Amino acid sequence: MDIYSAEATSSRGSVRVDGRGDLAYAVGEPSGDGTADPLNPERLYAAALATCLHQSLTIAATSLDVEPAESVVTAEATLCHQDGGYALRAAVDIYLPGAATDELYDAVTREALRLCPLIGTEVPVEFDRDRGLALQNHRGPADPGQN
């Protein structure tokens, strides 16, 4: 049973999501320092992965009686050369202040990684448990990337 489908169409210089003109985004290759670059596949994948994993984290946390309200997921997608071609790899950081212990944090993140349909064998995703726990133990703003 299908739950939801979205369609994105890429043409020269833009991508349109679900055929809506208001969701057309400029796309191109990264250049310079990256501050004014248009969207590119790596940025789109990082956004999709962070969003999907965050939803999976919310489901996992709720099922294990952990409050997910202030949670944050950060994803980084990297295009690299591999075996004469290209490969994509990703890394994620998970901030889940509602997990009171490292064991609970591990249980929730393990389940979220299992639930997330964008994590699989074709695009390896690395989860840095130590960095995640360091963010977890940081008690600053809800988004650890803001300090």
Side-chain angles (χ1 to χ4, degrees):
M1 174 178 81
D2 293 344
I3 297 171
Y4 175 78
S5 292
E7 181 177 275
T9 303
S10 178
S11 59
R12 187 162 68 187
S14 70
V15 64
R16 187 170 313 279
V17 179
D18 287 334
R20 293 176 44 194
D22 61 332
L23 290 179
Y25 302 99
V27 295
E29 295 178 22
S31 61
D33 65 3
T35 57
D37 289 346
L39 289 175
N40 58 50
E42 297 77 30
R43 285 182 172 160
L44 291 167
Y45 182 74
L49 179 57
T51 302
C52 186
L53 183 54
H54 194 242
Q55 291 301 311
S56 298
L57 182 73
T58 299
I59 293 167
T62 301
S63 72
L64 294 169
D65 293 323
V66 173
E67 175 56 51
E70 297 297 320
S71 61
V72 176
V73 174
T74 302
E76 178 182 33
T78 303
L79 180 67
C80 53
H81 284 283
Q82 180 177 318
D83 301 326
Y86 296 96
L88 183 66
R89 71 172 186 271
V92 296
D93 296 318
I94 298 172
Y95 175 66
L96 182 63
T101 65
D102 289 355
E103 292 76 22
L104 195 51
Y105 177 87
D106 287 346
V108 173
T109 55
R110 221 180 4 258
E111 181 63 4
L113 292 165
R114 186 190 72 76
L115 288 172
C116 183
L118 292 183
I119 295 177
T121 58
E122 294 302 313
V123 178
V125 174
E126 167 192 312
F127 172 58
D128 186 340
R129 179 186 181 276
D130 292 335
R131 177 168 160 70
L133 283 173
L135 292 172
Q136 173 68 15
N137 295 322
H138 170 81
R139 297 294 178 203
D143 182 350
Q146 294 298 309
N147 356 340

